[in-house]
Amino acid sequence: MQRWKWATTAAAAAAGVSVGAVATFAVRQHPPDIAIMQASYDQEVNSGSKLHDRNLQIIEVSCTKYPPNYRCFVTFFSKADPDQHLYSDLAEMAPTALGGWQLTSGLCKRRDGPNRADAPPA
C-alpha cells in the first residue's frame, strides 16, 4: 500500500513539472514587444553598463525567431536629442530560465557622448 502512495505522488509531481515546462515554453513562443525590449534595455543601463544611452526610447520592434533567441529590428530615439532623430539597430533577446527576457546584443552601445550611462544626468 505504501508503494502505491509514493507512485501516485511521483506521478502527480511529474505531471506538475510537465505542465510548468509547457507553460514556460508557451510564454517563450511570443516574441518580445516594445515594453519587454525597453525594460530589458533599462535593466542593462541600471545594472551599471557604461555603454548604453540612458535616454533611449524604443518606439518599434519587429522580432524573428532564431532558436532559441529572437533577433529584433528596433527603431528608437534619444530623449536627450532635441530633434529626436530616429535610429535603428539589430538586437538579440534571449529567454531566461525564469520565463523573462535578457538583451544579449545590440541597441545603441555607445563609447562616448553626454548620454552614456556613466555621464552625469543633465
Side-chain angles (χ1 to χ4, degrees), residues 83-106:
D83 297 322
Q84 294 188 345
H85 292 102
L86 293 179
Y87 298 94
S88 60
D89 198 0
L90 294 175
E92 187 168 295
M93 296 288 288
T96 64
L98 298 176
W101 293 94
Q102 178 182 13
L103 179 65
T104 56
S105 70

Side-chain angles (χ1 to χ4, degrees), residues 51-97:
L51 299 176
H52 295 295
D53 180 341
R54 76 171 79 242
N55 295 306
L56 183 134
Q57 179 67 49
I58 297 170
I59 59 171
E60 188 176 7
V61 174
S62 175
C63 297
T64 302
K65 182 82 168 154
Y66 192 79
N69 300 336
Y70 280 88
R71 291 200 175 150
C72 305
F73 183 79
V74 183
T75 305
F76 59 94
F77 66 91
S78 174
K79 293 182 228 174
D81 178 6
D83 297 322
Q84 294 188 345
H85 292 102
L86 293 179
Y87 298 94
S88 60
D89 198 0
L90 294 175
E92 187 168 295
M93 296 288 288
T96 64

Side-chain angles (χ1 to χ4, degrees), residues 43-52 109 116-118:
Q43 183 177 5
E44 283 282 320
V45 170
N46 294 331
S47 70
S49 172
K50 297 185 185 331
L51 299 176
H52 295 295
K109 292 189 176 183
R116 273 192 348 224
D118 64 337

Side-chain angles (χ1 to χ4, degrees), residues 23-36:
T24 300
F25 182 74
V27 168
R28 291 182 183 172
Q29 290 303 307
H30 299 288
D33 59 13
I34 293 172
I36 290 170

